[in-house]
């Protein structure tokens, strides 16, 4: 039955009665009601009231090719008719995941040639955690199993994802994380740089927190380090350039595996297929999901480096792990079409050469000077705007997060979907944005900031 048979208030009421939303205060949601998005086209989403909203978040960091791409619907339809499902357990496979794996090996850094599929970033990180521990066990070193991650990291919402992540509020509700995962300081200069410390020096200091954690555990007990190239959900925290090469050097020195979580940064967002390329580092695993299908189907792919894959094959023994939907043929067919579009339209190069640099300039020129903005930053098409009460001292507004929510709501009201992480405003638009779309977004951001300022100053 079509939702069109229901009025907006009926849908809202049914939503309240039956639907528990993710990451939501349900008491607060019952009071506020939900925004029901019904359709979308290109860079815009539309709600039940027909309001057109420019989607500055690409859904949730995923709709890289934008909305309304019928080729993906057709790929799904064709695959569903031919073979809607078959598993890849018990020595079986189906063509779509095989062809997608080949494609992923082609676009991934040269030493990553194997793929393990799941349906979400959280699942892929669960796989990654088990895989690196399994690797060391196969190498005869089962005690080398500690994982080093970072505070404020986001690696998903399953128990493994939450445990790997460094979100204090999520850990607070976990009542028992996966053992032997530790979290070190994030490379977030805006908060943690000491007075007088340069960005490169701060980056090295943050990287050496990883070394300190390795030394504290003893390198023989540390399996891997995991990190997002640029922290996404933690607030688009872009590390100084000195950070990743130093982390990689430290990992190699102590023979600790390097796991990159590119669930957000993968598939073009940073102006490279994978941020690993842009950072010039060689991870042993890359977790990917989201833009692998541009969000048109749930699918994740853990890209596995030759070192780990070789051990799996040479030593043998079953890896007791997998999902019903590992290598789902429909999701994989959609991913193949999505990657074909990203490639065919040159979206990665466009972010690298054109829209990425233009986005950085536009934020610097039209937003950075605003009286309630303390810093703007971007990396490819990921951007952040820090809200402050005082530009000079970078002092925040009272009530952490209140300014962010106010600006977010005003931005949506003004036709731009943005996300707030505390008092950091986040942008992660579809890669199909043009210079004109970036200009439009900036005008809407300025309008939201202008409208928010007197309200925030009045307290
Ligand atoms: N790793 C990273 C880096 C992510 O950003 C996941 C893993 C987990 O993926 P799944 O598919 O299991 O959700 C993510 C997901 C937000 C937000 O509010 C971010 C994510 C998910 C939901 C909300 O910014 N990132």
């Amino acid at each position: 039955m079509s939702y069109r048979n229901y009025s907006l208030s009926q849908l809202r009421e049914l939503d309240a009665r039956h639907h528990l939303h993710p990451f939501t205060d349900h008491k607060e949601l019952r009071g506020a009601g939900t925004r029901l998005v019904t359709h979308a086209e290109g860079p815009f989403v539309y709600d039940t009231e027909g309001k057109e909203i420019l989607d500055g978040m690409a859904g949730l960091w995923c709709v890289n090719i934008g909305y309304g791409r019928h080729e993906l619907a057709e790929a799904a339809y064709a695959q569903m008719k031919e073979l809607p499902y078959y598993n890849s357990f018990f020595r079986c496979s189906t063509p779509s995941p095989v062809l997608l794996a080949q494609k992923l090996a082609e676009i991934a850094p040269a030493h990553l040639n194997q793929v393990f599929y799941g349906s979400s970033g959280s699942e892929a990180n669960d796989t990654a955690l088990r895989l690196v521990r399994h690797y060391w066990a196969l190498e005869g070193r089962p005690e080398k199993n500690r994982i080093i991650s970072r505070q404020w990291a986001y690696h998903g919402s399953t128990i493994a994802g939450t445990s790997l992540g460094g979100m204090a509020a999520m850990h607070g509700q976990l009542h028992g994380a996966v053992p032997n995962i530790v979290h070190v300081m994030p490379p977030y200069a805006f908060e943690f740089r000491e007075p007088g410390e340069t960005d490169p020096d701060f980056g090295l200091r943050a990287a050496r927190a990883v070394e300190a954690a390795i030394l504290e555990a003893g390198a023989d007990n540390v399996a891997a380090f995991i990190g997002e190239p640029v922290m996404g959900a933690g607030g688009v925290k872009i590390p100084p350039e000195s950070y990743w090469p130093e982390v990689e050097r430290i990992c190699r020195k102590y023979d600790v595996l390097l796991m990159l979580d590119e669930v957000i940064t993968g598939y073009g967002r940073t102006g490279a297929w994978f941020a690993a390329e842009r950072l010039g580092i060689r991870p042993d695993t890359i977790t990917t999901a989201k833009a692998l299908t541009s969000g048109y189907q749930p699918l994740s792919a853990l890209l596995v480096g030759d070192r780990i894959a070789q051990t799996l094959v040479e030593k043998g023994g079953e890896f007791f792990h997998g999902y019903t939907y590992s290598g789902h043929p429909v999701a994989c067919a959609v991913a193949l079409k999505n990657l074909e579009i990203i490639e065919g339209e040159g979206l990665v190069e466009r972010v690298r050469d054109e829209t990425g640099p233009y986005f950085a300039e536009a934020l610097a020129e039209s937003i950075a000077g605003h009286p309630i903005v303390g810093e703007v930053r971007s990396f490819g098409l990921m951007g952040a705007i820090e809200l402050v009460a005082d530009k000079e001292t970078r002092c925040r507004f009272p009530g952490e997060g209140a300014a962010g929510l106010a600006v977010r709501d005003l931005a949506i009201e003004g036709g731009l979907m943005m996300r707030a992480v505390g008092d950091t405003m986040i942008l992660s638009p579809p890669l199909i944005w043009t210079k004109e779309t970036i200009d439009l977004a900036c005008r809407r951001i300025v309008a939201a900031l202008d409208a928010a300022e007197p309200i925030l100053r009045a307290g």
Side-chain angles (χ1 to χ4, degrees):
M1 179 183 285
S2 165
Y3 72 85
R4 291 186 176 81
N5 297 326
Y6 292 83
S7 70
L8 172 59
S9 60
Q10 279 174 322
L11 286 170
R12 283 217 175 110
E13 200 200 314
L14 289 169
D15 190 69
R17 201 182 306 158
H18 299 298
H19 182 190
L20 294 172
H21 293 223
F23 281 93
T24 289
D25 174 338
H26 293 92
K27 184 173 178 185
E28 194 266 342
L29 181 69
R30 292 296 187 276
T34 45
R35 174 184 303 281
L36 279 148
V37 172
T38 52
H39 59 289
E41 188 59 39
F44 297 106
V45 298
Y46 299 86
D47 68 16
T48 29
E49 281 131 300
K51 185 177 174 61
E52 180 181 273
I53 306 172
L54 182 62
D55 185 5
M57 283 303 300
L60 264 182
W61 323 78
C62 52
V63 188
N64 279 14
I65 61 168
Y67 299 94
R69 308 298 294 245
H70 292 192
E71 306 97 302
L72 268 61
E74 278 147 20
Y77 182 57
Q79 181 64 55
M80 275 191 203
K81 281 194 297 186
E82 192 170 348
L83 180 69
Y85 175 77
Y86 200 73
N87 67 64
S88 45
F89 288 52
F90 319 128
R91 293 194 192 153
C92 292
S93 194
T94 69
S96 296
V98 174
L99 297 179
L100 179 60
Q102 177 197 36
K103 183 70 194 169
L104 292 173
E106 179 197 317
I107 62 175
H111 65 289
L112 291 134
N113 289 296
Q114 306 276 329
V115 179
F116 196 106
Y117 294 111
S119 301
S120 69
S122 302
E123 285 182 3
N125 277 332
D126 192 311
T127 303
L129 169 63
R130 287 160 194 253
L131 186 63
V132 295
R133 286 181 168 171
H134 182 55
Y135 166 81
W136 286 116
L138 286 176
E139 290 293 330
R141 303 176 69 182
E143 71 294 340
K144 198 166 164 67
N145 63 21
R146 177 167 295 196
I147 314 281
I148 298 168
S149 177
R150 299 169 305 171
Q151 290 135 17
W152 302 356
Y154 190 78
H155 295 301
S157 196
T158 54
I159 289 174
T162 304
S163 305
L164 287 168
M167 297 290 187
M170 292 173 73
H171 276 263
Q173 294 177 352
L174 195 54
H175 305 293
V178 173
N180 223 2
I181 299 172
V182 295
H183 301 85
V184 301
M185 159 198 177
Y188 183 31
F190 187 76
E191 290 283 343
F192 295 117
R193 193 177 43 208
E194 305 279 0
E197 190 176 31
T198 64
D199 259 11
D201 284 350
F202 169 72
L204 293 178
R205 181 160 68 85
R208 286 178 192 147
V210 179
E211 183 165 37
I214 295 172
L215 292 174
E216 194 189 325
D220 287 345
N221 299 313
V222 180
F225 170 79
I226 184 166
E228 299 151 82
V230 172
M231 284 181 166
V236 181
K237 299 197 172 6
I238 304 166
E241 279 180 23
S242 56
Y243 180 76
W244 276 111
E246 181 66 2
V247 167
E248 179 177 48
R249 187 191 67 77
I250 289 165
C251 287
R252 297 295 164 240
K253 178 172 173 192
Y254 298 102
D255 202 14
V256 164
L257 297 172
L258 180 53
M259 305 159 75
L260 272 195
D261 183 341
E262 297 225 33
V263 166
I264 285 177
T265 53
Y267 308 110
R269 177 149 304 284
T270 71
W273 275 112
F274 299 97
E277 278 168 55
R278 235 194 103 162
L279 301 170
I281 57 176
R282 281 173 53 96
D284 295 289
T285 61
I286 299 183
T287 312
T288 76
K290 292 192 188 276
L292 170 56
T293 60
S294 283
Y296 282 63
Q297 284 282 293
L299 181 67
S300 58
L302 177 71
L303 311 182
V304 179
D306 294 340
R307 175 178 176 179
I308 295 175
Q310 227 163 19
T311 293
L312 279 183
V313 173
E314 279 170 13
K315 307 263 176 182
E318 182 169 346
F319 179 39
F320 295 108
H321 174 71
Y323 310 103
T324 302
Y325 297 135
S326 287
H328 194 290
V330 177
C332 290
V334 168
L336 273 164
K337 184 54 79 176
N338 172 59
L339 297 178
E340 193 183 308
I341 289 175
I342 293 178
E343 201 165 32
E345 297 182 4
L347 293 178
V348 181
E349 296 76 15
R350 186 155 128 194
V351 174
R352 186 188 65 205
D353 302 332
E354 197 186 322
T355 46
Y358 188 79
F359 184 54
E361 268 171 48
L363 288 176
E365 278 168 22
S366 59
I367 315 281
H370 196 280
I372 62 166
V373 171
E375 178 181 280
V376 298
R377 54 178 181 269
S378 68
F379 197 80
L381 284 189
M382 299 170 82
I385 301 165
E386 297 286 357
L387 302 177
V388 291
D390 185 316
K391 235 176 149 53
E392 296 314 310
T393 62
R394 294 178 158 190
C395 174
R396 300 279 193 183
F397 285 101
E400 208 205 319
L405 289 184
V407 172
R408 181 197 68 182
D409 290 345
L410 286 161
I412 298 173
E413 208 45 47
L416 174 69
M417 189 58 81
M418 283 183 97
R419 176 151 152 36
V421 176
D423 288 333
T424 309
M425 305 311 300
I426 303 299
L427 284 165
S428 169
L431 312 188
I432 54 158
W433 273 24
T434 60
K435 290 182 177 176
E436 290 70 35
T437 334
I438 292 171
D439 291 341
L440 174 64
C442 285
R443 285 197 297 278
R444 292 183 178 176
I445 295 167
V446 171
L449 294 169
D450 285 348
E453 186 178 359
I455 300 169
L456 295 173
R457 297 234 184 268

